Amino acid sequence: MFASTGQARIIGVLVGYLADLVLGDPKRGHPVALFGRAAAELERVTYRDSKIAGAVHVGLAVGAAVLLGAALQRRGRFWTMAATAGATWVSLGGTSLARTGLRMSELLDRGDVEAARRLLPSLCGRDPGRLDRDGLTRAALESVAENTSDAEVAPLLWAAVGGAPAALGYRAVNTLDSMTGYRSPRYLRFGWAAARLDDLANYVGARATALLVVVCAPIVGGSPSGAVRAWRRDASRHPSPNAGVVEAAFAGALRVRLGGPTQYRHELQIRPTLGDGPPPTVADLRRAVVLSRAVQAGAAVVVGLCLQRRRP
């Protein structure tokens, strides 16, 4: 059926992408949510206020995800394709990200700030109670930008490179970072390993995302040169080596200004300014959602080109 295992893997990635595009996230019993609950139970056993304990926690949780992926695809090329498709589908979050971003824009358009505050935790970990309409708009747009890499492009690339084990391992790392990768008193040391591993896992994906933002910017009337300029000038000033790259590229492409005071539940961060334009509007948030979907489609096209190269 397949000329090679690599071809089967690439087809699986494309099937998983289409499944997310058409179906979105599973309605019940999402595997990522199940993994999160299992990781939380594991944390009750592994938690110590130390980096070593955090590394053990990450090793056990990510190792289990990778072994599961390897077991699912070990029977041959068809199972490689099927396992990769399933792992890619559950690892992606592009459709949910777009729906949530658009829902946020609708609420903000209506002036329903309280409902928008309730929705914000679906996008990011900031403290919504301290944000007004403009703050919610910026938070949502920055989250759409960052998650274009974390929930769309990077999972596709990891699945294309390593199939189900890589896709599930990546999603495990990303989930653990979202659970423990904070500079709060509890997780400053314990969450260190998850945060650093997430930085490594997203390094290539973030830069591939920024490059695709440059290419896709004209789709939303954006500026490719602005994306390149903000990326090169502003990204390195951001505290995250990956989020800064993507957020700066989005800011430049959309001709808006991102960054500034960012309130989390455990601390206030003063983020650097990204881009040259005015603060983002709700219309800019909608443009960011369209750009995000275009970037993921571009990543899928890149994966499809890899399939063409693998044909005998």
Side-chain angles (χ1 to χ4, degrees), residues 230-253:
W231 175 6
R232 294 182 61 183
R233 185 192 63 204
D234 300 334
S236 62
R237 298 189 290 121
H238 195 282
S240 168
N242 299 320
V245 169
V246 182
E247 289 179 20
F250 264 77

Side-chain angles (χ1 to χ4, degrees), residues 102-117:
L102 291 176
R103 177 61 178 161
M104 178 67 77
S105 70
E106 293 169 358
L107 294 173
L108 293 172
D109 257 342
R110 296 205 307 259
D112 195 344
V113 173
E114 288 304 317
R117 286 171 175 163

Side-chain angles (χ1 to χ4, degrees), residues 141 250-252 254-258 274-281 284 287:
L141 198 155
F250 264 77
L254 298 173
R255 299 186 181 93
V256 299
R257 184 175 71 250
L258 301 177
L274 308 174
D276 299 312
T281 65
D284 293 319
R287 292 169 64 217

Side-chain angles (χ1 to χ4, degrees), residues 289-307:
V289 172
V290 174
L291 179 57
S292 176
R293 297 319 306 263
V295 165
Q296 187 181 25
V301 169
V302 172
V303 172
L305 293 175
C306 293
L307 175 62

Side-chain angles (χ1 to χ4, degrees), residues 35 58 62 168-178 193-195 197-199 201-202:
F35 173 83
V58 170
V62 175
L168 294 182
Y170 169 79
R171 182 48 62 205
V173 169
N174 194 248
T175 302
L176 291 173
D177 177 60
S178 70
L197 188 57
D198 186 70
D199 287 343
N202 281 293

Side-chain angles (χ1 to χ4, degrees), residues 4-198:
S4 67
T5 300
Q7 185 186 54
R9 185 171 64 244
I10 296 299
I11 291 174
V13 174
L14 296 176
V15 171
Y17 165 71
L18 292 175
D20 177 69
L21 199 63
V22 174
L23 303 174
D25 287 331
K27 299 298 183 182
R28 295 181 179 179
H30 196 301
V32 175
L34 296 176
F35 173 83
R37 287 198 287 271
E41 289 298 317
L42 177 65
E43 183 181 327
R44 297 175 63 180
V45 177
T46 58
Y47 181 81
R48 304 288 187 280
D49 188 17
S50 75
K51 292 182 178 180
I52 293 177
V56 170
H57 178 74
V58 170
L60 291 173
V62 175
V66 171
L67 289 174
L68 174 62
L72 290 173
Q73 69 176 38
R74 64 182 299 180
R75 297 183 180 180
R77 294 173 184 172
F78 173 80
W79 286 103
T80 294
M81 185 276 291
T84 301
T88 302
W89 177 35
V90 301
S91 297
L92 289 173
T95 296
S96 292
L97 177 65
R99 289 173 179 169
T100 306
L102 291 176
R103 177 61 178 161
M104 178 67 77
S105 70
E106 293 169 358
L107 294 173
L108 293 172
D109 257 342
R110 296 205 307 259
D112 195 344
V113 173
E114 288 304 317
R117 286 171 175 163
R118 291 193 295 271
L119 182 62
L120 187 66
S122 299
L123 286 170
C124 61
R126 301 184 192 184
D127 185 355
R130 304 193 186 188
L131 297 177
D132 58 10
R133 184 175 186 270
D134 291 340
L136 289 164
T137 301
R138 176 171 75 87
L141 198 155
E142 289 174 353
S143 182
V144 167
E146 181 178 1
N147 282 296
T148 299
S149 174
D150 292 1
E152 297 185 7
V153 175
L156 285 175
L157 297 182
W158 276 104
V161 170
L168 294 182
Y170 169 79
R171 182 48 62 205
V173 169
N174 194 248
T175 302
L176 291 173
D177 177 60
S178 70
M179 295 174 68
T180 67
Y182 297 102
R183 296 182 179 181
S184 63
R186 176 177 175 85
Y187 291 123
L188 183 61
R189 285 175 285 274
F190 184 79
W192 179 87
R196 296 292 78 76
L197 188 57
D198 186 70

Side-chain angles (χ1 to χ4, degrees), residues 184-229:
S184 63
R186 176 177 175 85
Y187 291 123
L188 183 61
R189 285 175 285 274
F190 184 79
W192 179 87
R196 296 292 78 76
L197 188 57
D198 186 70
D199 287 343
L200 290 173
N202 281 293
Y203 188 87
V204 173
R207 283 142 188 86
T209 301
L211 182 59
L212 286 167
V213 168
V214 173
V215 173
C216 297
I219 294 174
V220 293
S223 170
S225 62
V228 173
R229 183 170 59 252

